[in-house]
Amino acid sequence: RQTGIHSSEDARRLARRSLPWMVFDYIDGSAGEEHGAMLARRAIQDIRLTPRVLRNVSRRELRVQLFDKLAVRPFGISPMGMCNLSTPGADLMLARLAARDRVPHGVSTVASTDMETLLKVSGGMAWFQLYFSGDGSGTMKLVERARAAGYGTLVLTVDVPEVGRRPRELRHGFKMPFRIGPRQFVDFALHPRWSLSTLIRGRPQMANFDGRDYVFDRTESRAAADWTTFERLRAAWPGKLVVKGVLHPDDALRLKALGADAIQVSSHGCRQLDAAPPAIEALAAIRQAVGPTYPLFYDSGIRSGEDVVKAYAMGADFVFLGRPLLYAMAAGGEAGLHQLWDVLAQEVSLTLAQLGLTDMAALRERALPHNGDQAVQAAISR
Ligand code: HOC
């Protein structure tokens, strides 16, 4: 089924039409005045990649080695809360896609489907994303549950000591899980297709977590997490531990020294701090700090295959996307998701061809702006 999605901006435009304002603004909104989100996008847009010619790029490889698995695509699925707000069954659509393309599927603490089901449906490709939550024992209960379910990788999100203020969602009275008052009622009534398909199944719930501390004044334990908390978690978790939400090279170095298996450079899609630096610039600085071989992942502001390539050029070993996938599912369900996914893969492949490269590893090795290689010039210009 054709869904009219030829770019993530197409998906966003269609999602804006189909979703209630409250849901669209929850997904689309960022912290504060959203200036940081705009700068983060601009920093990615401003990276220039110089084409190289006559290099026989007829066979191009998009597969990427990721820990002990070979991902079929060089990008994966970011953990996102309450995905089923975009369309019913969204979590399962993402899990099926992860199983098909052997890419990691971030399962959020605040997912709307339980972590056990998602691990199964993803064919073992799910990674459980952990917030420090409730009292410390709540966190450990989730860790134990993830281990019992068979998860091999934990993604610890460290950039939410408190949940960021996103005025757009607050204006609509968005809460997790949301309540339906008079304001929402009008919004839902004006979006009958979404309301009939979604609300008829009951409001999407948080399946792993009761959400008691999502509200702003009961977050003591999450805000109190410190390096000792991290060390305790590292000691308690035998599997891979990815730490997500790092922007400072010193934090990255300390996490590396304390045994994090990988760091995910991210500004949480600029949903946490309007003043955050563009995450793509932090990625280049952190790559310089941690050296060429330490695993670095990236998310925040990726909207196209060219953006994926740029993130690899700036030092990423793997890239994750969030919002565009939600837009695509809101716009066209599972068909919309597949259509955008294919667009992204085509864009990556075509970009490699333009750059005279045949695989992502070559790009990563050659394209860092500081390593002096002539194959690709990737530079941030302002
Ligand atoms: C327990 C804290 O990642 C978002 C979510 C934030 C969820 C915080 C839940 O909306 O960006």
Side-chain angles (χ1 to χ4, degrees):
R1 172 163 87 86
Q2 285 303 306
T3 55
I5 296 175
H6 303 286
S7 69
S8 63
E9 189 47 38
D10 283 347
R12 180 176 180 273
R13 194 172 26 79
L14 292 166
R16 183 176 215 150
R17 267 192 234 150
S18 63
L19 290 173
W21 307 312
M22 182 186 80
V23 175
F24 181 77
D25 281 334
Y26 165 64
I27 295 171
D28 196 65
S30 304
E33 292 174 35
E34 307 199 356
H35 191 63
M38 189 269 286
L39 290 180
R41 275 297 300 146
R42 189 184 292 168
I44 295 176
Q45 286 165 334
D46 281 351
I47 296 172
R48 303 287 92 202
L49 302 167
T50 306
R52 296 300 304 268
V53 298
L54 296 174
R55 287 174 162 239
N56 188 356
V57 287
S58 52
R59 284 170 186 271
R60 297 185 297 277
E61 174 64 87
L62 294 196
R63 289 179 300 180
V64 167
Q65 190 68 37
L66 186 57
F67 293 143
D68 58 346
K69 299 208 162 74
L70 193 62
V72 173
R73 298 287 177 232
F75 46 83
I77 301 160
S78 268
M80 292 169 282
M82 306 296 286
C83 288
N84 288 0
L85 285 175
S86 65
T87 197
D91 277 334
L92 295 172
M93 294 174 193
L94 293 170
R96 285 193 284 271
L97 183 58
R100 191 195 76 180
D101 277 358
R102 311 297 296 157
V103 295
H105 173 200
V107 169
S108 169
T109 293
V110 289
S112 28
T113 306
D114 65 87
M115 63 163 100
E116 291 81 5
T117 302
L118 291 176
L119 183 64
K120 214 156 108 194
V121 176
S122 72
M125 296 308 295
W127 292 2
F128 184 66
Q129 177 272 335
L130 181 75
Y131 287 111
F132 290 116
S133 65
D135 57 13
S137 66
T139 304
M140 286 320 291
K141 264 191 228 152
L142 279 174
V143 172
E144 277 313 311
R145 186 171 156 191
R147 195 206 317 233
Y151 277 83
T153 302
L154 207 58
V155 180
L156 175 69
T157 298
V158 289
D159 58 5
V160 187
E162 305 278 4
V163 179
R165 292 193 86 254
R166 299 129 193 190
R168 271 210 262 161
E169 70 184 43
L170 295 174
R171 276 181 214 122
H172 295 295
F174 181 84
K175 289 196 170 55
M176 257 193 216
F178 63 85
R179 305 200 175 93
I180 306 178
R183 243 183 321 171
Q184 290 79 19
F185 187 80
V186 174
D187 191 3
F188 294 159
L190 290 172
H191 298 91
R193 211 155 54 120
W194 179 90
S195 303
L196 284 175
S197 63
T198 302
L199 297 180
I200 215 157
R201 302 176 190 216
R203 284 176 310 163
Q205 296 297 319
M206 289 187 283
N208 300 313
F209 175 63
D210 65 13
R212 263 176 305 170
D213 79 344
Y214 180 74
V215 289
F216 298 102
D217 56 355
R218 272 187 266 149
T219 53
E220 280 138 307
S221 153
R222 201 170 49 248
D226 60 13
W227 289 98
T228 317
T229 324
F230 174 75
E231 287 179 80
R232 272 207 307 273
L233 180 69
R234 177 62 287 189
W237 177 255
K240 296 281 187 213
L241 182 57
V242 178
V243 182
K244 173 176 177 289
V246 179
L247 293 172
H248 198 294
D250 291 351
D251 287 340
L253 283 173
R254 191 159 176 185
L255 286 163
K256 179 185 173 191
L258 290 175
D261 293 295
I263 288 169
Q264 187 154 329
V265 178
S266 164
S267 63
H268 211 110
C270 238
R271 292 165 74 79
Q272 285 296 105
L273 178 68
D274 197 12
I280 199 80
E281 293 179 7
L283 171 64
I286 290 176
R287 172 53 75 198
Q288 294 246 27
V290 298
T293 54
Y294 182 74
L296 276 189
F297 306 153
Y298 179 81
D299 75 81
S300 292
I302 298 291
R303 296 290 177 271
S304 69
E306 280 198 14
D307 292 349
V308 171
V309 168
K310 287 174 177 180
Y312 275 76
M314 301 305 281
D317 294 302
F318 200 75
V319 169
F320 289 85
L321 294 100
R323 287 185 182 103
L325 309 180
L326 295 181
Y327 301 142
M329 290 186 289
E334 198 153 15
L337 175 65
H338 287 188
Q339 199 160 344
L340 180 65
W341 194 255
D342 291 346
V343 166
L344 293 167
Q346 275 170 27
E347 287 174 341
V348 170
S349 180
L350 294 176
T351 307
L352 283 180
Q354 288 295 316
L355 300 182
L357 297 174
T358 52
D359 62 52
M360 304 305 286
L363 177 71
R364 242 286 273 125
E365 281 155 21
R366 293 172 173 192
L368 277 176
H370 62 269
N371 76 357
D373 188 281
Q374 301 301 305
V376 176
Q377 293 167 25
I380 295 178
S381 55
R382 290 170 178 281

